[in-house]
Amino acid sequence: LLFITILAGSMLNLPLFTLNGEPTNKDEIVEPPSQLPGLIGNIPYTVSTKIMANVGGCVVPVAFCLYLLRHNSLNDLHLSIAVTTVTVLSYATSRRLPGIGIGIPILLAPITAALISMALDPKQAAPLAYISGTMGVLIGADLMHLKDIRKLGVPFASIGGAGSFDGIFITGIVAVLLA
């Protein structure tokens, strides 16, 4: 049921807010659309980017994390350590890919989430791995890189936008399988 909901939700993006773009270097300059009297030189190219949340790749995985938190007695300290570890790793290893979005090595976060979860709480490793993997990638790779979205030059960006192929979803599922 979760997987079907994620697949169906992958086609839906919920608008959140808009960021004003900024050029990253002198190469991102375009000629003015017309030469007006008194207009000399180039105009910096900026694109405003609409930020959205993909239902299947972001909203449903986060909702499932809330479900797991409610139905499992997880230690708050273990949860904080696991989410923080995956967040820091995700932030450090994710990169801006112009014209595409934010990329992250696909197996690094789920392996880390599974290992840290098994080390901290072997009895609750599966829900801890899913939550720490999902939330760690969401925070570290997506939310902490919102400032980089301004430099991508794209009209929209979707958090969890690859749906069932997004790092948020893949990390949670693979982390559970490994744990």
Side-chain angles (χ1 to χ4, degrees):
L1 182 60
L2 178 66
F3 188 67
I4 290 170
T5 305
I6 287 170
L7 285 176
S10 296
M11 296 180 274
L12 301 171
N13 286 302
L14 304 174
L16 300 175
F17 56 90
T18 301
L19 291 174
N20 290 325
E22 59 186 49
T24 58
N25 58 43
K26 293 180 183 177
D27 296 332
E28 292 188 19
I29 304 293
V30 296
E31 293 295 324
S34 64
Q35 293 294 336
L36 300 174
L39 186 61
I40 301 172
N42 295 332
I43 300 173
Y45 177 74
T46 59
V47 173
S48 62
T49 303
K50 181 175 281 196
I51 304 297
M52 297 181 275
N54 184 273
V55 173
C58 179
V59 177
V60 173
V62 170
F64 190 59
C65 286
L66 295 173
Y67 172 84
L68 290 173
L69 282 170
R70 182 170 170 86
H71 291 86
N72 292 282
S73 57
L74 298 174
N75 181 297
D76 290 341
L77 179 62
H78 293 165
L79 185 63
S80 297
I81 291 170
V83 171
T84 301
T85 301
V86 177
T87 297
V88 169
L89 178 81
S90 296
Y91 180 74
T93 60
S94 56
R95 299 286 178 255
R96 177 172 56 102
L97 303 173
I100 297 173
I102 304 296
I104 183 171
I106 195 68
L107 292 178
L108 193 58
I111 290 170
T112 302
L115 290 175
I116 194 81
S117 297
M118 289 186 299
L120 291 172
D121 192 352
K123 291 182 180 181
Q124 294 289 327
L128 184 58
Y130 184 86
I131 294 167
S132 64
T134 299
M135 297 307 295
V137 170
L138 172 65
I139 296 166
D142 289 346
L143 299 181
M144 292 177 73
H145 279 284
L146 278 177
K147 65 187 181 307
D148 295 334
I149 298 295
R150 294 176 188 269
K151 299 175 183 176
L152 287 176
V154 294
F156 68 91
S158 182
I159 298 170
S164 58
F165 297 104
D166 194 80
I168 296 169
F169 172 73
I170 296 290
T171 298
I173 295 299
V174 173
V176 168
L177 294 173
L178 293 174

mmCIF file with all atom_site columns, all heavy atoms in Angstrom, residues 38-52:
data_model
loop_
_atom_site.group_PDB
_atom_site.id
_atom_site.type_symbol
_atom_site.label_atom_id
_atom_site.label_alt_id
_atom_site.label_comp_id
_atom_site.label_asym_id
_atom_site.label_entity_id
_atom_site.label_seq_id
_atom_site.pdbx_PDB_ins_code
_atom_site.Cartn_x
_atom_site.Cartn_y
_atom_site.Cartn_z
_atom_site.occupancy
_atom_site.B_iso_or_equiv
_atom_site.pdbx_formal_charge
_atom_site.auth_seq_id
_atom_site.auth_comp_id
_atom_site.auth_asym_id
_atom_site.auth_atom_id
_atom_site.pdbx_PDB_model_num
ATOM 1   N N   . GLY A 1 38 ? 20.600 53.923 -24.306 1.00 0.00 ? 38 GLY A N   1
ATOM 2   C CA  . GLY A 1 38 ? 21.134 54.112 -22.968 1.00 0.00 ? 38 GLY A CA  1
ATOM 3   C C   . GLY A 1 38 ? 21.454 52.815 -22.250 1.00 0.00 ? 38 GLY A C   1
ATOM 4   O O   . GLY A 1 38 ? 22.013 52.824 -21.163 1.00 0.00 ? 38 GLY A O   1
ATOM 5   N N   . LEU A 1 39 ? 21.095 51.652 -22.824 1.00 0.00 ? 39 LEU A N   1
ATOM 6   C CA  . LEU A 1 39 ? 21.376 50.372 -22.202 1.00 0.00 ? 39 LEU A CA  1
ATOM 7   C C   . LEU A 1 39 ? 22.701 49.857 -22.727 1.00 0.00 ? 39 LEU A C   1
ATOM 8   O O   . LEU A 1 39 ? 22.867 49.606 -23.901 1.00 0.00 ? 39 LEU A O   1
ATOM 9   C CB  . LEU A 1 39 ? 20.258 49.365 -22.510 1.00 0.00 ? 39 LEU A CB  1
ATOM 10  C CG  . LEU A 1 39 ? 20.335 48.021 -21.807 1.00 0.00 ? 39 LEU A CG  1
ATOM 11  C CD1 . LEU A 1 39 ? 20.258 48.201 -20.294 1.00 0.00 ? 39 LEU A CD1 1
ATOM 12  C CD2 . LEU A 1 39 ? 19.221 47.128 -22.273 1.00 0.00 ? 39 LEU A CD2 1
ATOM 13  N N   . ILE A 1 40 ? 23.664 49.732 -21.855 1.00 0.00 ? 40 ILE A N   1
ATOM 14  C CA  . ILE A 1 40 ? 25.004 49.313 -22.254 1.00 0.00 ? 40 ILE A CA  1
ATOM 15  C C   . ILE A 1 40 ? 25.354 48.037 -21.497 1.00 0.00 ? 40 ILE A C   1
ATOM 16  O O   . ILE A 1 40 ? 25.117 47.928 -20.296 1.00 0.00 ? 40 ILE A O   1
ATOM 17  C CB  . ILE A 1 40 ? 26.049 50.400 -21.933 1.00 0.00 ? 40 ILE A CB  1
ATOM 18  C CG1 . ILE A 1 40 ? 25.677 51.685 -22.671 1.00 0.00 ? 40 ILE A CG1 1
ATOM 19  C CG2 . ILE A 1 40 ? 27.448 49.937 -22.268 1.00 0.00 ? 40 ILE A CG2 1
ATOM 20  C CD1 . ILE A 1 40 ? 26.520 52.857 -22.284 1.00 0.00 ? 40 ILE A CD1 1
ATOM 21  N N   . GLY A 1 41 ? 25.919 47.068 -22.184 1.00 0.00 ? 41 GLY A N   1
ATOM 22  C CA  . GLY A 1 41 ? 26.411 45.862 -21.526 1.00 0.00 ? 41 GLY A CA  1
ATOM 23  C C   . GLY A 1 41 ? 25.360 44.780 -21.410 1.00 0.00 ? 41 GLY A C   1
ATOM 24  O O   . GLY A 1 41 ? 24.313 44.819 -22.055 1.00 0.00 ? 41 GLY A O   1
ATOM 25  N N   . ASN A 1 42 ? 25.675 43.816 -20.585 1.00 0.00 ? 42 ASN A N   1
ATOM 26  C CA  . ASN A 1 42 ? 24.826 42.638 -20.427 1.00 0.00 ? 42 ASN A CA  1
ATOM 27  C C   . ASN A 1 42 ? 23.966 42.736 -19.171 1.00 0.00 ? 42 ASN A C   1
ATOM 28  O O   . ASN A 1 42 ? 24.285 43.453 -18.233 1.00 0.00 ? 42 ASN A O   1
ATOM 29  C CB  . ASN A 1 42 ? 25.690 41.379 -20.324 1.00 0.00 ? 42 ASN A CB  1
ATOM 30  C CG  . ASN A 1 42 ? 26.452 41.124 -21.600 1.00 0.00 ? 42 ASN A CG  1
ATOM 31  O OD1 . ASN A 1 42 ? 26.010 41.499 -22.677 1.00 0.00 ? 42 ASN A OD1 1
ATOM 32  N ND2 . ASN A 1 42 ? 27.593 40.485 -21.474 1.00 0.00 ? 42 ASN A ND2 1
ATOM 33  N N   . ILE A 1 43 ? 22.896 41.985 -19.159 1.00 0.00 ? 43 ILE A N   1
ATOM 34  C CA  . ILE A 1 43 ? 22.013 41.917 -18.006 1.00 0.00 ? 43 ILE A CA  1
ATOM 35  C C   . ILE A 1 43 ? 22.252 40.584 -17.310 1.00 0.00 ? 43 ILE A C   1
ATOM 36  O O   . ILE A 1 43 ? 22.289 39.544 -17.956 1.00 0.00 ? 43 ILE A O   1
ATOM 37  C CB  . ILE A 1 43 ? 20.527 41.990 -18.453 1.00 0.00 ? 43 ILE A CB  1
ATOM 38  C CG1 . ILE A 1 43 ? 20.264 43.303 -19.180 1.00 0.00 ? 43 ILE A CG1 1
ATOM 39  C CG2 . ILE A 1 43 ? 19.601 41.825 -17.260 1.00 0.00 ? 43 ILE A CG2 1
ATOM 40  C CD1 . ILE A 1 43 ? 18.880 43.374 -19.791 1.00 0.00 ? 43 ILE A CD1 1
ATOM 41  N N   . PRO A 1 44 ? 22.448 40.588 -15.976 1.00 0.00 ? 44 PRO A N   1
ATOM 42  C CA  . PRO A 1 44 ? 22.619 39.301 -15.292 1.00 0.00 ? 44 PRO A CA  1
ATOM 43  C C   . PRO A 1 44 ? 21.387 38.428 -15.481 1.00 0.00 ? 44 PRO A C   1
ATOM 44  O O   . PRO A 1 44 ? 20.260 38.907 -15.435 1.00 0.00 ? 44 PRO A O   1
ATOM 45  C CB  . PRO A 1 44 ? 22.786 39.679 -13.822 1.00 0.00 ? 44 PRO A CB  1
ATOM 46  C CG  . PRO A 1 44 ? 23.135 41.121 -13.828 1.00 0.00 ? 44 PRO A CG  1
ATOM 47  C CD  . PRO A 1 44 ? 22.538 41.716 -15.077 1.00 0.00 ? 44 PRO A CD  1
ATOM 48  N N   . TYR A 1 45 ? 21.604 37.151 -15.710 1.00 0.00 ? 45 TYR A N   1
ATOM 49  C CA  . TYR A 1 45 ? 20.529 36.191 -15.931 1.00 0.00 ? 45 TYR A CA  1
ATOM 50  C C   . TYR A 1 45 ? 20.102 35.606 -14.590 1.00 0.00 ? 45 TYR A C   1
ATOM 51  O O   . TYR A 1 45 ? 20.894 35.016 -13.887 1.00 0.00 ? 45 TYR A O   1
ATOM 52  C CB  . TYR A 1 45 ? 21.032 35.083 -16.848 1.00 0.00 ? 45 TYR A CB  1
ATOM 53  C CG  . TYR A 1 45 ? 20.045 33.988 -17.088 1.00 0.00 ? 45 TYR A CG  1
ATOM 54  C CD1 . TYR A 1 45 ? 18.951 34.182 -17.906 1.00 0.00 ? 45 TYR A CD1 1
ATOM 55  C CD2 . TYR A 1 45 ? 20.221 32.752 -16.489 1.00 0.00 ? 45 TYR A CD2 1
ATOM 56  C CE1 . TYR A 1 45 ? 18.046 33.162 -18.127 1.00 0.00 ? 45 TYR A CE1 1
ATOM 57  C CE2 . TYR A 1 45 ? 19.325 31.728 -16.705 1.00 0.00 ? 45 TYR A CE2 1
ATOM 58  C CZ  . TYR A 1 45 ? 18.245 31.946 -17.529 1.00 0.00 ? 45 TYR A CZ  1
ATOM 59  O OH  . TYR A 1 45 ? 17.356 30.935 -17.740 1.00 0.00 ? 45 TYR A OH  1
ATOM 60  N N   . THR A 1 46 ? 18.851 35.819 -14.242 1.00 0.00 ? 46 THR A N   1
ATOM 61  C CA  . THR A 1 46 ? 18.325 35.214 -13.024 1.00 0.00 ? 46 THR A CA  1
ATOM 62  C C   . THR A 1 46 ? 16.987 34.568 -13.348 1.00 0.00 ? 46 THR A C   1
ATOM 63  O O   . THR A 1 46 ? 16.238 35.036 -14.193 1.00 0.00 ? 46 THR A O   1
ATOM 64  C CB  . THR A 1 46 ? 18.125 36.235 -11.884 1.00 0.00 ? 46 THR A CB  1
ATOM 65  O OG1 . THR A 1 46 ? 17.219 37.238 -12.323 1.00 0.00 ? 46 THR A OG1 1
ATOM 66  C CG2 . THR A 1 46 ? 19.440 36.858 -11.468 1.00 0.00 ? 46 THR A CG2 1
ATOM 67  N N   . VAL A 1 47 ? 16.719 33.496 -12.669 1.00 0.00 ? 47 VAL A N   1
ATOM 68  C CA  . VAL A 1 47 ? 15.467 32.779 -12.843 1.00 0.00 ? 47 VAL A CA  1
ATOM 69  C C   . VAL A 1 47 ? 14.864 32.596 -11.458 1.00 0.00 ? 47 VAL A C   1
ATOM 70  O O   . VAL A 1 47 ? 15.550 32.172 -10.538 1.00 0.00 ? 47 VAL A O   1
ATOM 71  C CB  . VAL A 1 47 ? 15.705 31.382 -13.476 1.00 0.00 ? 47 VAL A CB  1
ATOM 72  C CG1 . VAL A 1 47 ? 14.433 30.564 -13.494 1.00 0.00 ? 47 VAL A CG1 1
ATOM 73  C CG2 . VAL A 1 47 ? 16.279 31.510 -14.859 1.00 0.00 ? 47 VAL A CG2 1
ATOM 74  N N   . SER A 1 48 ? 13.588 32.918 -11.318 1.00 0.00 ? 48 SER A N   1
ATOM 75  C CA  . SER A 1 48 ? 12.956 32.595 -10.042 1.00 0.00 ? 48 SER A CA  1
ATOM 76  C C   . SER A 1 48 ? 12.558 31.112 -10.107 1.00 0.00 ? 48 SER A C   1
ATOM 77  O O   . SER A 1 48 ? 12.110 30.622 -11.137 1.00 0.00 ? 48 SER A O   1
ATOM 78  C CB  . SER A 1 48 ? 11.748 33.484 -9.772  1.00 0.00 ? 48 SER A CB  1
ATOM 79  O OG  . SER A 1 48 ? 10.766 33.291 -10.737 1.00 0.00 ? 48 SER A OG  1
ATOM 80  N N   . THR A 1 49 ? 12.788 30.423 -9.018  1.00 0.00 ? 49 THR A N   1
ATOM 81  C CA  . THR A 1 49 ? 12.552 28.990 -8.954  1.00 0.00 ? 49 THR A CA  1
ATOM 82  C C   . THR A 1 49 ? 11.423 28.695 -7.983  1.00 0.00 ? 49 THR A C   1
ATOM 83  O O   . THR A 1 49 ? 11.484 29.076 -6.822  1.00 0.00 ? 49 THR A O   1
ATOM 84  C CB  . THR A 1 49 ? 13.828 28.250 -8.506  1.00 0.00 ? 49 THR A CB  1
ATOM 85  O OG1 . THR A 1 49 ? 14.883 28.562 -9.399  1.00 0.00 ? 49 THR A OG1 1
ATOM 86  C CG2 . THR A 1 49 ? 13.617 26.756 -8.468  1.00 0.00 ? 49 THR A CG2 1
ATOM 87  N N   . LYS A 1 50 ? 10.396 28.016 -8.475  1.00 0.00 ? 50 LYS A N   1
ATOM 88  C CA  . LYS A 1 50 ? 9.288  27.608 -7.620  1.00 0.00 ? 50 LYS A CA  1
ATOM 89  C C   . LYS A 1 50 ? 9.696  26.308 -6.929  1.00 0.00 ? 50 LYS A C   1
ATOM 90  O O   . LYS A 1 50 ? 10.056 25.334 -7.589  1.00 0.00 ? 50 LYS A O   1
ATOM 91  C CB  . LYS A 1 50 ? 8.025  27.397 -8.440  1.00 0.00 ? 50 LYS A CB  1
ATOM 92  C CG  . LYS A 1 50 ? 6.823  26.995 -7.580  1.00 0.00 ? 50 LYS A CG  1
ATOM 93  C CD  . LYS A 1 50 ? 5.566  26.899 -8.395  1.00 0.00 ? 50 LYS A CD  1
ATOM 94  C CE  . LYS A 1 50 ? 5.086  28.315 -8.582  1.00 0.00 ? 50 LYS A CE  1
ATOM 95  N NZ  . LYS A 1 50 ? 3.717  28.440 -9.010  1.00 0.00 ? 50 LYS A NZ  1
ATOM 96  N N   . ILE A 1 51 ? 9.666  26.303 -5.610  1.00 0.00 ? 51 ILE A N   1
ATOM 97  C CA  . ILE A 1 51 ? 10.010 25.119 -4.818  1.00 0.00 ? 51 ILE A CA  1
ATOM 98  C C   . ILE A 1 51 ? 8.724  24.356 -4.519  1.00 0.00 ? 51 ILE A C   1
ATOM 99  O O   . ILE A 1 51 ? 7.746  24.931 -4.044  1.00 0.00 ? 51 ILE A O   1
ATOM 100 C CB  . ILE A 1 51 ? 10.714 25.507 -3.503  1.00 0.00 ? 51 ILE A CB  1
ATOM 101 C CG1 . ILE A 1 51 ? 11.948 26.366 -3.784  1.00 0.00 ? 51 ILE A CG1 1
ATOM 102 C CG2 . ILE A 1 51 ? 11.071 24.259 -2.696  1.00 0.00 ? 51 ILE A CG2 1
ATOM 103 C CD1 . ILE A 1 51 ? 13.032 25.691 -4.576  1.00 0.00 ? 51 ILE A CD1 1
ATOM 104 N N   . MET A 1 52 ? 8.753  23.064 -4.808  1.00 0.00 ? 52 MET A N   1
ATOM 105 C CA  . MET A 1 52 ? 7.591  22.204 -4.586  1.00 0.00 ? 52 MET A CA  1
ATOM 106 C C   . MET A 1 52 ? 8.003  20.960 -3.797  1.00 0.00 ? 52 MET A C   1
ATOM 107 O O   . MET A 1 52 ? 9.183  20.643 -3.728  1.00 0.00 ? 52 MET A O   1
ATOM 108 C CB  . MET A 1 52 ? 6.996  21.795 -5.931  1.00 0.00 ? 52 MET A CB  1
ATOM 109 C CG  . MET A 1 52 ? 6.470  22.975 -6.722  1.00 0.00 ? 52 MET A CG  1
ATOM 110 S SD  . MET A 1 52 ? 5.759  22.489 -8.271  1.00 0.00 ? 52 MET A SD  1
ATOM 111 C CE  . MET A 1 52 ? 7.199  22.426 -9.297  1.00 0.00 ? 52 MET A CE  1
#
